[in-house]
Amino acid sequence: METKKEKLDDVLSSFLQVGQIKACAIVSKEGLLISSRTPPDVDARIFSALCSTIMGAAEAASTQMKTGAVGQISLKTEKGTIVLIPAGSKVIFTVLTETGAQIGLILVEMESKAQEVEEILFGT
């Protein structure tokens, strides 16, 4: 029987098949790295900590502005896009895309994978 870690690794590996993805990770909202697929030039622990910080700031802004729960965060940069979506109340599924990536397709796949992550970790 597969462990949770193996199941999460499988989720990330299958997500990479979408293409145009430099890195992806499953991160706790506290910034702890749960699982990742990153190239050598991306430090997965720093990536996870920064993504946690971004999500925390977005949630604080959303609470202050009374706009409801954060459903997605996208940061478009010169060299790609960082996308974060919640995978339950305690976990973030995040991706760093290549420049010009098909964000729509990636978002659809991210939502599906985030649900899988939530089911694996929390049995929902």
Side-chain angles (χ1 to χ4, degrees), residues 4-97:
K4 285 184 179 183
K5 173 77 171 132
E6 290 169 333
K7 289 178 183 179
L8 294 173
D9 288 344
D10 289 346
V11 168
L12 293 180
S13 294
S14 68
F15 180 68
L16 288 175
Q17 301 304 309
V18 173
Q20 299 180 306
I21 296 168
K22 290 182 185 178
C24 58
I26 301 165
V27 179
S28 77
K29 287 206 175 170
E30 290 80 30
L32 300 173
L33 180 63
I34 297 170
S35 187
S36 69
R37 292 288 181 276
T38 58
D41 65 328
V42 175
D43 184 321
R45 288 179 290 193
I46 291 173
F47 182 59
S48 64
L50 293 173
C51 287
S52 172
T53 301
I54 293 166
M55 181 62 81
E59 287 176 339
S62 178
T63 299
Q64 186 67 33
M65 301 300 290
K66 298 179 174 72
T67 59
V70 174
Q72 165 198 326
I73 301 166
S74 299
L75 298 169
K76 188 172 182 177
T77 70
E78 292 177 2
K79 297 183 180 179
T81 302
I82 300 169
V83 182
L84 300 89
I85 62 172
S89 63
K90 299 178 181 181
V91 178
I92 305 163
F93 186 75
T94 184
V95 64
L96 172 59
T97 73

